[in-house]
Amino acid sequence: MKRIAVYPGSFDPVTYGHVDLIRRATALFDHLIVAVTTNPGKLMSFSFPVEERLAMLRESLRGERRVTVEAFHGLLVKYLKTRKARIIIRGLRAISDFEYEFQMTLMNRHLASQVETVFLMPDERYTYLSSTLVKEIARLGGRVTAFVPPPVLKRLLKNS
Ligand code: ADP
């Protein structure tokens, strides 16, 4: 049986923190699906449309065998079932991530007890990095070269 893991998120846009986690996950599992959410949360609105978020991920992960990138909407545990996957990958940067992730993990476990969530920590260079912060710095004219892959940089510069 192939071990398939799903890494869900907004990836709005993908950063080197996400890429770091993707590399760690591919070392542990046979196949990784990076699943880009199209459901905006109540207070959330995306900066990049889903097609752009997918394109930036695909261009940034070119050459990563065993990784596929796709969009999903609806309940994550239902989506996992359609992909015959039982592992969710999430990242933990700081304590501040913990409460939300804790709540989501236990809720997903309630909804689908066979699903396990695995948390990975990025390289310390990326522990303070978020897509929101990167967009804000880029918008204000700061350098984000160290934080995002070239396909993202190109689009951020175009938009700023
Ligand atoms: P979401 O809206 O689902 O939190 P994100 O794209 O912001 O989507 O994050 C997806 C996952 O990646 C989350 O588990 C988040 O903690 C993790 N993540 C985001 N940025 C980083 C980073 N710099 N290092 C490690 N993990 C990260």
Side-chain angles (χ1 to χ4, degrees):
M1 267 283 272
K2 264 178 114 185
R3 280 178 179 265
I4 304 168
V6 171
Y7 179 25
S10 320
F11 304 99
D12 191 25
V14 59
T15 68
Y16 280 141
H18 296 120
V19 174
D20 179 287
L21 244 62
I22 290 165
R23 301 232 162 96
R24 286 173 202 279
T26 53
L28 296 173
F29 302 102
D30 300 313
H31 192 82
L32 181 72
I33 303 173
V34 180
V36 179
T37 179
T38 56
N39 323 316
K42 233 196 288 178
L43 294 171
M44 193 161 86
S45 59
F46 296 123
S47 302
F48 288 98
V50 66
E51 297 76 23
E52 283 279 291
R53 290 184 276 137
L54 289 166
M56 287 186 278
L57 271 161
R58 287 188 180 128
E59 290 168 29
S60 306
L61 297 171
R62 208 162 266 159
E64 287 289 333
R65 286 160 44 249
R66 302 194 288 127
V67 179
T68 49
V69 176
E70 57 185 40
F72 88 101
H73 71 277
L75 211 51
L76 179 61
V77 292
K78 280 194 183 170
Y79 168 76
L80 258 84
K81 213 167 174 183
T82 67
R83 293 295 174 266
K84 298 190 166 40
R86 286 165 54 169
I87 300 146
I88 299 173
I89 302 290
R90 294 288 288 177
L92 276 184
R93 286 162 289 187
I95 302 283
S96 51
D97 281 339
F98 182 77
E99 196 160 340
Y100 175 74
E101 296 294 343
F102 182 74
Q103 187 182 21
M104 288 303 289
T105 298
L106 293 184
M107 182 53 80
N108 283 330
R109 182 173 289 170
H110 172 83
L111 296 170
S113 58
Q114 75 284 7
V115 169
E116 212 53 81
T117 303
V118 174
F119 290 96
L120 296 174
M121 280 186 227
D123 186 284
E124 58 198 38
R125 278 175 297 170
Y126 307 129
T127 49
Y128 54 92
L129 185 57
S130 72
S131 301
T132 308
L133 193 55
V134 161
K135 282 181 288 194
E136 186 69 359
I137 295 167
R139 197 175 59 81
L140 298 171
R143 247 171 97 80
V144 290
T145 322
F147 303 127
V148 293
V152 176
L153 194 63
K154 189 177 79 186
R155 286 165 174 89
L156 285 173
L157 292 176
K158 207 169 72 189
N159 291 355
S160 68

